[in-house]
């Protein structure tokens, strides 16, 4: 296939480095030279590779960056790959992300990653090592250790990054932050969030063996995870409910819903996590559970005191969503369809969707309420935010310095249900539980031979 280039006026990384010295002698530089090495200028299109172009969200993510040049498409399932590639006939096609990144690293400026949770870190790290910007779907990773790894990788390789929790770009999420920071709710002491959904509920043992479809490379799909037989109950849509591949609802909708809380409360790292209810425990898929995380006093430059008091965050998923009870002062009717409830010393607030709407509770309080003056810039859009960062603009709102620590505390919920009614004390600095060694076995993934990831020193 004929090699693609962005335009005659753009350089590859190698060409840029080779010509910088010569261009330095001239007082006026072409606009593409003003961008950092490996970046397109703001007015030019970036070469984008898309890893995972089918399944739950892959095709939509390709479409979301189609304002740029779709340079390469990659998917382990050839049927999914060909279906999406028909819309982008000039894009190169790959089955193995490693081959795509190695062959195209001098041409690609950024990639999207829309694949099962357990392979996010493997793809993202390989791209960042090659100086390629990364948009990675939520949750950032499947494990806490991988989330910390990607945070350090972004710091080391200095590429533009963004996690796909679109609510972070919603105006309502930013208004929720401003309401809390203005002090209208007083001190926030509790936050509750819930999702009754789930994937693969009811599957309690490995599904019966099925023949692998001829279009699917099951070994590549498995990646770093343990080897198992293929099942259509896993690929393409229900893998998130399986312990080996996903994070169930806390990683699916939880990381969307909890976004306003993470930002507004500047949550950082908790001191403990505790499973307060669980049912349906089995060796294959995630059960339904509820948990609480305790966060200590935290700095916050946006509030007059410069800090926020301790807060407890509650999460309820699957059938355990029924365990949520409206806090004193609110009724179920007051809660309505809100999936995140802030409890303050002066009042209540709810957000819904992915943080796309916000109301004081009960909602009639919003009728006469004057919203705070904006403190946070409004977003041009979640993908647009990342594209702007890729072209030398300000860092995107959920870049890995933000998304990594956020994913770390959120993923503790996906561990704690194994130890019901036990407060697990968390040492965030050292990524370890201090009172339960067995719980530490779930902080870092077990890698299949040949798929290991090494830690990074920064």
């Amino acid at each position: 296939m004929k090699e693609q280039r962005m335009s005659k006026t753009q350089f590859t990384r190698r060409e840029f480095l080779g010509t910088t010295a010569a261009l330095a002698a001239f007082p006026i530089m072409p606009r593409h030279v003003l961008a950092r090495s490996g970046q397109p200028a703001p007015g030019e299109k970036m070469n984008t590779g898309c890893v995972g172009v089918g399944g739950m969200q892959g095709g939509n993510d390709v479409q979301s960056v189609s304002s740029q040049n779709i340079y390469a498409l990659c998917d382990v399932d050839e049927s999914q790959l060909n279906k999406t590639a028909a819309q982008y006939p000039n894009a190169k096609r790959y089955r193995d992300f490693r081959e795509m990144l190695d062959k195209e690293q001098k041409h690609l400026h950024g990639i999207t990653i829309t694949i099962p949770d357990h392979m996010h870190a493997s793809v993202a790290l390989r791209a960042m090592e090659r100086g390629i910007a990364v948009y990675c779907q939520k949750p950032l990773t499947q494990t806490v250790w991988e989330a910390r790894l990607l945070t350090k990788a972004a710091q080391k390789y200095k590429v533009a990054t963004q996690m796909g929790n679109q609510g972070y770009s919603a105006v309502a999420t930013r208004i929720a932050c401003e309401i809390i920071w203005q002090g209208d709710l007083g001190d926030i002491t509790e936050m509750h969030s819930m999702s009754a959904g789930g994937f693969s509920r009811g599957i309690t043992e490995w599904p019966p063996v099925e023949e692998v479809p001829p279009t699917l490379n099951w070994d590549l799909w498995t990646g770093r995870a343990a080897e198992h037989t293929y099942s259509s109950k896993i690929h393409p849509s229900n893998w998130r409910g399986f312990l080996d591949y996903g994070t169930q609802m806390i990683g699916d909708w939880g990381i969307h819903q909890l976004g306003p809380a993470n930002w507004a409360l500047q949550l950082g790292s908790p001191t403990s996590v505790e499973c307060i209810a669980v049912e349906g425990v089995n060796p294959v898929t995630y059960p339904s559970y509820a948990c609480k995380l305790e966060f200590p006093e935290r700095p916050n430059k946006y509030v007059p005191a410069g800090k926020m008091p301790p807060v407890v965050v509650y999460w309820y998923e699957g059938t355990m969503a029924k365990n949520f009870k409206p806090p004193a002062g609110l009724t179920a009717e007051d809660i309505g369809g809100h999936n995140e409830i802030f409890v303050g010393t002066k009042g209540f607030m709810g957000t819904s969707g992915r943080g796309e709407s916000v109301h004081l509770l009960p909602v009639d309080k919003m009728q006469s309420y004057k919203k705070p003056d904006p403190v946070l810039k409004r977003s041009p859009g979640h993908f647009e935010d990342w594209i702007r960062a890729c072209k030398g603009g300000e860092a995107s709102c959920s870049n890995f310095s933000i998304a990594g620590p956020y994913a770390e505390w959120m993923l503790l919920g996906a561990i704690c249900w194994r130890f019901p009614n036990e407060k697990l004390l968390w040492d965030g600095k050292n990524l370890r539980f201090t009172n339960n060694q067995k719980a530490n076995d779930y902080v870092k993934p077990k890698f299949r031979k040949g798929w290991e990831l090494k830690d990074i020193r920064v």
Side-chain angles (χ1 to χ4, degrees):
M1 183 177 292
K2 186 177 179 181
E3 181 180 59
Q4 286 182 307
R5 292 188 179 274
M6 294 175 60
S7 75
K8 291 182 180 179
T9 61
Q10 288 178 287
F11 289 156
T12 65
R13 290 179 176 80
R14 183 174 298 176
E15 289 166 340
F16 181 94
L17 295 172
T19 58
T20 299
L23 288 168
F26 294 89
I28 299 177
M29 292 184 182
R31 61 193 176 97
H32 57 271
V33 176
L34 298 178
R36 293 198 300 269
S37 177
Q39 290 179 331
E44 295 175 320
K45 292 187 177 183
M46 57 186 279
N47 280 348
T48 306
C50 301
V51 181
V53 298
M56 290 187 188
Q57 183 70 18
N60 290 336
D61 282 359
V62 179
Q63 179 64 33
S64 294
V65 294
S66 61
S67 63
Q68 306 305 300
N69 181 37
I70 305 300
Y71 184 87
L73 300 170
C74 180
D75 201 293
V76 298
D77 191 327
E78 193 171 23
S79 64
Q80 301 278 11
L81 176 62
N82 291 340
K83 180 180 178 181
T84 301
Q87 304 172 54
Y88 308 94
N90 294 324
K92 295 187 177 184
R93 304 183 192 186
Y94 289 93
R95 302 287 297 283
D96 190 330
F97 73 90
R98 297 168 298 182
E99 181 184 7
M100 184 189 82
L101 294 175
D102 289 348
K103 285 187 175 180
E104 306 297 349
Q105 59 183 294
K106 66 180 181 179
H107 300 299
L108 288 171
H109 296 93
I111 66 167
T112 61
I113 300 173
T114 317
I115 57 178
D117 302 347
H118 73 288
M119 286 300 292
H120 285 184
S122 299
V123 180
L125 181 60
R126 197 177 188 94
M128 287 190 284
E129 289 172 339
R130 286 154 180 76
I132 300 170
V134 172
Y135 182 104
C136 184
Q137 265 302 341
K138 52 76 190 175
L140 185 60
T141 61
Q142 191 194 19
T143 67
V144 178
W145 182 87
E146 291 171 303
R148 179 68 59 88
L149 179 69
L150 291 193
T151 302
K152 293 188 289 188
Q155 181 181 350
K156 178 177 181 178
Y157 298 113
K158 303 186 187 309
V159 297
T161 56
Q162 179 90 308
M163 179 172 70
N165 54 324
Q166 297 94 317
Y168 242 60
S169 290
V171 172
T173 288
R174 297 170 191 227
I175 292 174
C177 293
E178 292 156 356
I179 290 173
I180 288 174
W181 296 343
Q182 184 168 274
D184 293 350
L185 303 178
D187 290 335
I188 304 300
T189 59
E190 295 180 6
M191 196 289 301
H192 300 260
S193 187
M194 68 297 295
S195 176
F199 297 84
S200 308
R201 299 291 190 194
I203 296 178
T204 58
E205 58 184 25
W206 205 261
V209 178
E210 295 180 47
E211 184 177 351
V212 179
T215 59
L216 174 65
N217 187 325
W218 179 243
D219 184 70
L220 276 178
W221 190 99
T222 299
R224 70 152 173 82
E227 293 184 36
H228 289 293
T229 54
Y230 164 80
S231 171
S232 57
K233 295 183 181 296
I234 301 170
H235 171 78
S237 299
N238 287 308
W239 47 264
R240 186 159 272 153
F242 283 77
L243 299 178
D244 282 1
Y245 310 127
T247 47
Q248 196 50 281
M249 291 311 295
I250 200 168
D252 186 70
W253 269 95
I255 200 161
H256 280 314
Q257 296 172 201
L258 293 164
N262 186 66
W263 198 343
L265 303 180
Q266 301 284 290
L267 286 176
S269 186
T271 54
S272 70
V273 60
E274 181 180 357
C275 174
I276 56 177
V278 63
E279 68 179 14
V281 174
N282 69 86
V284 176
T285 59
Y286 284 90
S288 297
Y289 67 93
C291 65
K292 70 175 183 178
L293 301 102
E294 296 179 332
F295 292 84
E297 183 179 86
R298 305 158 316 285
N300 185 349
K301 66 180 181 180
Y302 297 104
V303 299
K307 60 184 179 181
M308 303 190 85
V311 65
V312 181
V313 172
Y314 292 85
W315 168 252
Y316 314 80
E317 72 167 59
T319 58
M320 293 297 95
K322 66 187 179 185
N323 283 27
F324 167 71
K325 306 298 180 189
L330 290 179
T331 66
E333 289 73 24
D334 294 331
I335 299 296
H338 297 91
N339 55 29
E340 190 180 49
I341 310 299
F342 294 84
V343 180
T345 54
K346 295 182 180 179
F348 307 95
M349 184 178 74
T351 62
S352 58
R354 296 170 294 189
E356 292 139 331
S357 70
V358 58
H359 299 93
L360 298 185
L361 299 178
V363 294
D364 58 11
K365 288 183 174 293
M366 288 297 292
Q367 295 177 4
S368 60
Y369 179 69
K370 183 180 183 301
K371 296 176 183 176
D373 293 332
V375 173
L376 299 169
K377 290 182 180 179
R378 283 8 185 188
S379 171
H382 207 61
F383 283 93
E384 292 80 1
D385 193 18
W386 174 67
I387 292 168
R388 180 177 60 185
C390 291
K391 297 181 180 184
E394 61 187 83
S396 52
C397 64
S398 195
N399 69 81
F400 291 1
S401 70
I402 296 167
Y406 176 20
E408 283 185 24
W409 73 255
M410 185 257 337
L411 289 167
L412 295 177
I415 295 175
C416 73
W417 57 266
R418 298 171 174 89
F419 310 94
N421 302 310
E422 179 180 348
K423 180 181 284 192
L424 301 174
L425 303 181
W426 179 244
D427 175 2
K429 180 180 179 181
N430 296 299
L431 287 187
R432 61 184 298 271
F433 295 103
T434 59
N435 64 335
N436 188 319
Q437 185 54 44
K438 187 168 178 56
N440 287 321
D441 292 343
Y442 302 98
V443 172
K444 180 180 180 179
K446 294 177 174 60
F447 293 98
R448 191 160 64 114
K449 186 176 180 180
W451 290 93
E452 299 85 357
L453 297 179
K454 295 181 179 180
D455 201 359
I456 292 174
R457 292 184 180 274
V458 292

